[in-house]
Amino acid sequence: MLKLIPGVNQLISLAIAEDLYQGDITTASLPQLRRDCLAKIILEEEGIIAGLELVEIVFRQLNVEVRLQFNTRDGCYENPGKDLLEIVGPAFAVLAAERIILNFIGRMSGIATASARLVSRLEGTKCRLLDTRKTTPGWRYLDKYSTHLGGVVNHRFGLDDGVLIKDNHLLLSSGIGEVIRLVRKHTGPLTKIAIEVENESQVKEALRNNADHLLLDNMTADQIRTMVAIVDGKAQTEASGGITPENLKEYASTGVDYLSLGLLTTEVRFLKMKMEIQV
Amino acid sequence: MLKLIPGVNQLISLAIAEDLYQGDITTASLPQLRRDCLAKIILEEEGIIAGLELVEIVFRQLNVEVRLQFNTRDGCYENPGKDLLEIVGPAFAVLAAERIILNFIGRMSGIATASARLVSRLEGTKCRLLDTRKTTPGWRYLDKYSTHLGGVVNHRFGLDDGVLIKDNHLLLSSGIGEVIRLVRKHTGPLTKIAIEVENESQVKEALRNNADHLLLDNMTADQIRTMVAIVDGKAQTEASGGITPENLKEYASTGVDYLSLGLLTTEVRFLKMKMEIQV
Amino acid sequence: MLKLIPGVNQLISLAIAEDLYQGDITTASLPQLRRDCLAKIILEEEGIIAGLELVEIVFRQLNVEVRLQFNTRDGCYENPGKDLLEIVGPAFAVLAAERIILNFIGRMSGIATASARLVSRLEGTKCRLLDTRKTTPGWRYLDKYSTHLGGVVNHRFGLDDGVLIKDNHLLLSSGIGEVIRLVRKHTGPLTKIAIEVENESQVKEALRNNADHLLLDNMTADQIRTMVAIVDGKAQTEASGGITPENLKEYASTGVDYLSLGLLTTEVRFLKMKMEIQV
Amino acid sequence: MLKLIPGVNQLISLAIAEDLYQGDITTASLPQLRRDCLAKIILEEEGIIAGLELVEIVFRQLNVEVRLQFNTRDGCYENPGKDLLEIVGPAFAVLAAERIILNFIGRMSGIATASARLVSRLEGTKCRLLDTRKTTPGWRYLDKYSTHLGGVVNHRFGLDDGVLIKDNHLLLSSGIGEVIRLVRKHTGPLTKIAIEVENESQVKEALRNNADHLLLDNMTADQIRTMVAIVDGKAQTEASGGITPENLKEYASTGVDYLSLGLLTTEVRFLKMKMEIQV
Amino acid sequence: MLKLIPGVNQLISLAIAEDLYQGDITTASLPQLRRDCLAKIILEEEGIIAGLELVEIVFRQLNVEVRLQFNTRDGCYENPGKDLLEIVGPAFAVLAAERIILNFIGRMSGIATASARLVSRLEGTKCRLLDTRKTTPGWRYLDKYSTHLGGVVNHRFGLDDGVLIKDNHLLLSSGIGEVIRLVRKHTGPLTKIAIEVENESQVKEALRNNADHLLLDNMTADQIRTMVAIVDGKAQTEASGGITPENLKEYASTGVDYLSLGLLTTEVRFLKMKMEIQV
Amino acid sequence: MLKLIPGVNQLISLAIAEDLYQGDITTASLPQLRRDCLAKIILEEEGIIAGLELVEIVFRQLNVEVRLQFNTRDGCYENPGKDLLEIVGPAFAVLAAERIILNFIGRMSGIATASARLVSRLEGTKCRLLDTRKTTPGWRYLDKYSTHLGGVVNHRFGLDDGVLIKDNHLLLSSGIGEVIRLVRKHTGPLTKIAIEVENESQVKEALRNNADHLLLDNMTADQIRTMVAIVDGKAQTEASGGITPENLKEYASTGVDYLSLGLLTTEVRFLKMKMEIQV
């Protein structure tokens, strides 16, 4: 349902503008390219596919009609050589769109694939992986859509759809109790209150004030274990900071409900794929 | 001069919308945050800084006046702990902008830093590193601005500012000579003609037709060396495909003029930095 | 903090375009209007003021510099004759902006004032008033900002910042339990699950599946009282449908946590105010 | 012909963004909603229908294909229970668009219906009802389109399509004669000159200067009658200010050509309607 | 007051994008250009100046602060060598804006100057010159602003601010009388009705139906004279079609009120000017 | 391939807004115009046609479906009376689009036709005609597209797709050699370096620094001949400044490679055409 999202449509419009603001001077020179061609998007390494739906919007924004045949769906795991998608349309438009399409699907599939690898390390635990707001500007929705396809649980999408009281909020205000009270008064019935806590005394004060979700920040796995015991189910718990692919399993074993991991979206590698043209 | 670039202004506008389309519900609850605060952007690992100029535009788009003091400039190498930038302004706006700013500067600095590491491997050779159009959609200018700060030479920015005749163009047309002739006729006096060639016969045909720039695609270092000898200075040469950080030096030693490397922008890691607030 | 909100800036841009797409042909004829004037916004009936912050953005979008002096703040109750705001700037721009400003502040203040009157009827009860998504298209944020100033609690702003499972979702799916399970799996840790229920059996099934918030739809006050007893604090409760200014108090006495009222934003009357110019 | 209007398309785009900037998290969780459904818009109270044409644009902007069957047309009077419109399309898109569509058609139909009620009070007189520029910002075209469907005559749409010299223009200039002369010189052959006048001497001066249209502001019905006699057909006459649904008929009986009434667009109540889904 | 006009701001934004979508690669290479410079816009041939106000908006959209000193005003006649405007600001921004500014002012001044030359031919007659809607797309407001500075009277700006019934409307409808009646019923009190007429019988029918303005299309001067006599002041008259700079005076002598002339905006020559930089 | 170009789509959107921001009040009054009609675009004077492809985009942006039949193609030379294009669609939409379409195609065809006339004067020489950046703001792409259809070679489209070192760059920097060195270092492998030179010493210095393209500015034909001899094929040569339709041939005979001519786009006359409706 990517096509419903206003920001995604705008990002595609930026992607088109940056690549062909004054057109494609190579293909514009070649009259043969007005004919139709058949293009295939071929996967070059294994992974989870993400972003196929965007292809339709790219061509719609280019004002060009093409026929698309999808041979897989977002979220599916595919092997190298897989022909993900076939496009039949005017060659000049297909070539103009080639890099835009590959950059979208390649990047999104790369995020989904890497996310899935990390999620698989938590198998057998009840702990779930969360993403963060450390995303590439303009890409918040697509980054989180991709981690979600990899099995990650999406944390809040923006500052407008979830409350998280952080150290800086506390620093500028007057104590955990007062801040929670103000936020609760200001926000609606569907809003949970999450708060970043750094030590036992903050955990206890947050619980006293009925925080819904505790973000246990920058603690060792042992510290997390202790805090989880203190919380004792009275709030959801999330560990963040200092968590790596290597110690993920250890943190997950502490009984904490969620681990949040910035690198899901701050360390990105495109999945390799290419476009092949057939005459 | 990032602020002149229309697409950059639009990307910032997307970045603001995705994070606070309906505002920041946490800070909106806290009346104390209407006061001014002092915020510092602190570097957490060494690297080359990129994107500082965007901070001013973010606040301008938020319709908020702040005072900015920059303690470094784009392109400078800084150490962990460095206070890159100080912001004095209303706390609610500084906190609303925090993640947007960090995501821009963090990502751009990450690209610049990684680029510089790869460029340094070519020291002592005459070969220069090129980026590609394999960039994150919406980020073409910023991605290339960042690799440039790392010492990379920017290849064409879009399909509209350079001609590159690729295999798909040839496949759909009628031979190297004819394609070069058509493109030269269609394009202006400042346009060089680059062509992707895959073997000796294509190299020779391209030279016969006075191509300006040969992209030697998917060849071993040895093959590159042979082709460079054939070209013998009659055109610029670029190797692409199969080049990795590990074999970079080897390819550079072939005498080829340029190496182009997709991973400069397809494998990205944000440089770590944070915002600290002082009351 | 209205000025941070992207949609508000865009709505102002629409408001300017619709009133002076080809300029103001009356003032453009009168060279005397290039001089500065002093304009005052005078309240003509008592009420709660909302939207003052937008004045600055209107003039910024008109590319005109004015000096503004505010004599009250959003959320304050003012009497007829109150001089809310003084503007000093070029007369042609002040006159061009007059109706835009009055329409914004007048409409928003009208909503805030009517909301406050309804909220005051619940004084002495623990029940709180909620708004809905039945807002004027393009005005969601401003409508809800205005009801909030009147003391109303904002329900979710859009389909993207809260889950509400309605009869149509259930109709198209396979039972309350399954739907809640799917939604919980798909959404993040800060998302509460609200569900519209129409009878006792649905209430019980929703509770069994740990719904966070029950929307008791189209029930009499007596039915609400019964359901609230069944819920017994295990979820938040909200009554909606059939609630009017007249029976508000009666519904509030049922022990339900929230009443939601579409008419807060579907029955709107501008608060009267005018602009006076002084030479 | 609403679909031709640029501002209407932009307002719909705002309406979509404010409701689903990050998507519809409820329906996104439910895979069954990818199927098609049949939805009907059912009227819940009698009134004049307005805005049906917008439904097509909403779905177009959502990039979704639906089949629409209209069972009535804009401007028709319909009874409760009437099935105005049937939509067949993917359930996730229909549910995402539901509130947007209802808010547009409900609000517009409410304005048209109330306008028609007021217009009917003037039956048997030659006096006609005018709307004003006191509209909801962003909604100028739609507000006036709706009053027009109710039988109201549209006054100027903006400051750019009609001249109205008001008290503030006079205050800042040098007399009625001079202002009319300047405006006539500056504007084109198709522009009528309307002027707000407050007393007999202004009426006479306006007539001496061949004003086309006199806006008799804030006068009693008796005063209006006197002025109309003075004007004696040498200009069009309009009464405004202090006119209410109650005294409308009395004002109309004065012989004045037009009554303008702000409340047509400043006191708005949505017409009730709902969407019903069928599997 | 150009800066108030939304479309003008958008056109400037297009002008910036088309010239420096990916920046100015020449100046970006030259670090010395970060310094301030003084630039002067020097007129190279005599004429009427138009568009100076746009300079401020260009730099505002480039996010750059400059100091501007204007040595003339829009509408003034200046001689070659005149220093119209001085700009002090960062050299990279001044050079980036140079061509944009010259193209705007040069084109607008060219139109104003040519318009003034044609207007001067009507001196001594009561006939006035009108422009048309035959303008360069995107430039309607600026084209008409420029002709106005040259002394031309602006005809309607768009299809939305004036009624003109043309042959095609009549062809598709049922007679002059019926069309005028329908239009009068549909439009407001400030709308005059203009109608294109081609012969005496149409003139008479239009007068019978109280048309306000007759567009006498494609007639010889003699025919116009006859028609003007028939009209005898009962409507405004305008001659259009076949009018050239050469026969302008002759047509003006017929007693017709207005001549409309497409070539005011369909035959355009930029006024020559240049930018000089001083270190 | 005009429809791919983002700026062209935006310009069309401006063109629609400026003509019918609040609709077409004439056709909106006439219910008969909801029927389909057949419209033909008829050429009224001979010339080269340009811009036909835009018709489709205009109607798409108006959200209206029409059937188009093209009887010629862009770049073809046609005679008066030629029926270029037939449109079948709802009359209200065809009439609303009439002037927009004629203004686009008329202006573009005018540029193409005039360009072709000038190009034909160079027949038999090897010299080619170049356009400049002296285009109508917002029209860069369309202006250059049109000159290209007339046989002109397009010079760079913007400051971002070609380097041209001009006198102002030199003035603010430190000598030709240094500037060329800096630019070469900063730009990529596909960028040629053009430099404006005014005398023999500059020509020689530019050659010493391997400039690719010399713009010989404001020289007589004799001076050009001398410089061309000095350059002797070591760089491309372009003459600019002082070239007129009259002396074009003389300049061409100097052996210079290119002549650039601002008047291709600064002196524009629309080609005459009209729309005829058939019932």
Side-chain angles (χ1 to χ4, degrees), chain A residues 7 24 40-41 61 74 117-118 137 144 152 158 161 164-165 169 195 199-200 236:
Chain A
D24 175 348
K40 298 185 177 192
I41 307 287
Q61 290 202 12
D74 273 17
R117 292 209 178 103
L118 291 169
K144 284 181 171 269
V152 165
D161 72 331
L164 175 47
I165 300 164
H169 295 103
I195 184 164
N199 52 48
E200 184 175 331
Q236 299 166 343

Side-chain angles (χ1 to χ4, degrees), chain F residues 11 42 51 57 59 117 123 125 131 147 156 161-162 165 179 193 195-196 206 226 232 235 239 243:
Chain F
L11 184 63
I42 311 285
I57 315 184
F59 284 106
R117 293 211 176 101
E123 259 169 40
T125 78
D131 53 24
T147 61
R156 61 176 177 167
D161 72 332
I165 301 164
V179 168
I193 294 185
I195 184 164
E196 196 178 285
T226 309
D232 191 24
I243 302 169

Side-chain angles (χ1 to χ4, degrees), chain B residues 174-187:
Chain B
S174 30
I176 287 179
E178 174 72 359
V179 168
I180 290 183
R181 194 188 59 77
L182 283 167
V183 170
R184 202 180 299 285
K185 186 176 163 216
H186 190 273
T187 57

Side-chain angles (χ1 to χ4, degrees), chain A residues 62-267:
Chain A
L62 290 172
N63 295 310
V64 172
E65 278 181 44
V66 296
R67 267 170 299 135
L68 301 177
Q69 185 191 308
F70 295 96
N71 300 321
T72 184
R73 286 186 299 113
D74 273 17
C76 291
Y77 194 93
E78 301 292 350
N79 287 311
K82 172 74 182 182
D83 167 7
L84 306 175
L85 165 69
E86 295 174 21
I87 307 168
V88 175
F92 75 87
V94 170
L95 291 179
E98 173 183 358
R99 181 57 30 222
I100 295 168
I101 291 171
L102 291 175
N103 287 347
F104 269 113
I105 305 182
R107 186 176 194 278
M108 290 171 72
S109 301
I111 293 174
T113 303
S115 295
R117 292 209 178 103
L118 291 169
V119 165
S120 72
R121 299 198 184 194
L122 296 186
E123 259 170 38
T125 78
K126 285 172 50 188
C127 183
R128 301 191 70 189
L129 213 51
L130 290 173
D131 54 22
T132 66
R133 285 169 49 247
K134 295 179 180 173
T135 55
T136 291
W139 273 72
R140 179 69 49 80
Y141 189 88
L142 294 179
D143 274 10
K144 284 181 171 269
Y145 172 85
S146 305
T147 59
H148 179 78
L149 287 181
V152 165
V153 176
N154 288 330
H155 221 317
R156 60 176 178 169
F157 275 70
L159 294 170
D160 57 357
D161 72 331
V163 161
L164 175 47
I165 300 164
K166 302 179 82 169
D167 52 354
N168 282 332
H169 295 103
L170 293 176
L171 188 71
L172 293 161
S173 306
S174 29
I176 287 180
E178 174 70 0
V179 168
I180 292 183
R181 193 187 60 76
L182 283 167
V183 170
R184 202 179 299 286
K185 186 176 163 215
H186 190 273
T187 57
L190 300 188
T191 306
K192 285 189 186 171
I193 295 185
I195 184 164
E196 196 178 285
V197 285
E198 291 171 353
N199 52 48
E200 184 175 331
S201 111
Q202 286 191 323
V203 168
K204 289 181 171 166
E205 193 174 353
L207 290 177
R208 262 198 309 278
N209 287 283
N210 298 312
D212 298 293
H213 182 100
L214 303 191
L215 194 154
L216 306 164
D217 198 35
N218 279 319
M219 300 185 183
T220 63
D222 279 349
Q223 289 171 312
I224 296 283
R225 190 169 286 114
T226 307
M227 296 304 153
V228 168
I230 291 169
V231 175
D232 192 25
K234 290 192 275 293
Q236 299 166 343
T237 51
E238 167 187 351
S240 84
I243 302 171
T244 64
E246 290 69 32
N247 64 24
L248 206 59
K249 196 76 187 271
E250 184 192 352
Y251 272 93
S253 73
T254 60
V256 76
D257 296 318
Y258 297 98
L259 302 180
S260 62
L261 208 53
L263 62 79
L264 290 165
T265 48
T266 63
E267 302 189 13

Side-chain angles (χ1 to χ4, degrees), chain D residues 16 31 59 93 117 143 159 168 174 204 206 224 254 257 270 279:
Chain D
I16 289 173
F59 284 106
R117 293 210 177 103
D143 274 11
L159 294 170
N168 282 332
S174 29
K204 289 180 172 167
I224 296 284
T254 60
D257 297 318
F270 287 28
V279 214

Side-chain angles (χ1 to χ4, degrees), chain A residues 6-7 10-11 14-15 17-33 35-37 91 95-100 103-104 107 133-141 156-166 168-169 171-174 178-180 182-184 186-187 191 265-270 272 275-279, chain B residues 6-7 10-11 14-15 17-33 35-37 91 95-100 103-104 107 133-141 156-166 168-169 171-174 178-180 182-184 186-187 191 265-270 272 275-279:
Chain A
Q10 289 163 354
L11 184 63
L14 275 188
E18 73 187 3
D19 212 20
L20 58 167
Y21 196 81
Q22 305 281 26
D24 175 348
I25 57 177
T26 310
T27 60
S29 311
L30 302 173
Q32 297 101 317
L33 300 187
R35 290 176 308 176
D36 273 11
C37 72
L95 291 179
E98 173 183 358
R99 181 57 30 222
I100 295 168
N103 287 347
F104 269 113
R107 186 176 194 278
R133 285 169 49 247
K134 295 179 180 173
T135 55
T136 291
W139 273 72
R140 179 69 49 80
Y141 189 88
R156 60 176 178 169
F157 275 70
L159 294 170
D160 57 357
D161 72 331
V163 161
L164 175 47
I165 300 164
K166 302 179 82 169
N168 282 332
H169 295 103
L171 188 71
L172 293 161
S173 306
S174 29
E178 174 70 0
V179 168
I180 292 183
L182 283 167
V183 170
R184 202 179 299 286
H186 190 273
T187 57
T191 306
T265 48
T266 63
E267 302 189 13
V268 169
R269 197 175 70 73
F270 286 27
K272 286 195 168 56
M275 182 185 276
E276 278 186 1
I277 300 283
Q278 295 181 351
V279 213
Chain B
Q10 288 163 356
L11 184 62
L14 275 188
E18 73 187 3
D19 213 19
L20 57 168
Y21 196 81
Q22 305 282 26
D24 176 347
I25 57 178
T26 310
T27 59
S29 311
L30 303 173
Q32 295 100 318
L33 300 187
R35 287 177 310 174
D36 274 12
C37 72
L95 291 179
E98 173 184 358
R99 182 53 37 216
I100 295 168
N103 286 347
F104 268 113
R107 187 175 192 278
R133 283 170 50 249
K134 295 180 181 172
T135 54
T136 291
W139 273 72
R140 180 68 50 80
Y141 189 88
R156 61 176 179 168
F157 275 70
L159 294 170
D160 57 358
D161 71 333
V163 161
L164 174 48
I165 301 164
K166 303 179 80 168
N168 282 332
H169 295 103
L171 187 72
L172 294 161
S173 307
S174 30
E178 174 72 359
V179 168
I180 290 183
L182 283 167
V183 170
R184 202 180 299 285
H186 190 273
T187 57
T191 306
T265 49
T266 63
E267 301 190 14
V268 169
R269 199 176 67 73
F270 287 28
K272 285 195 169 54
M275 182 185 277
E276 278 186 2
I277 301 284
Q278 296 181 349
V279 214

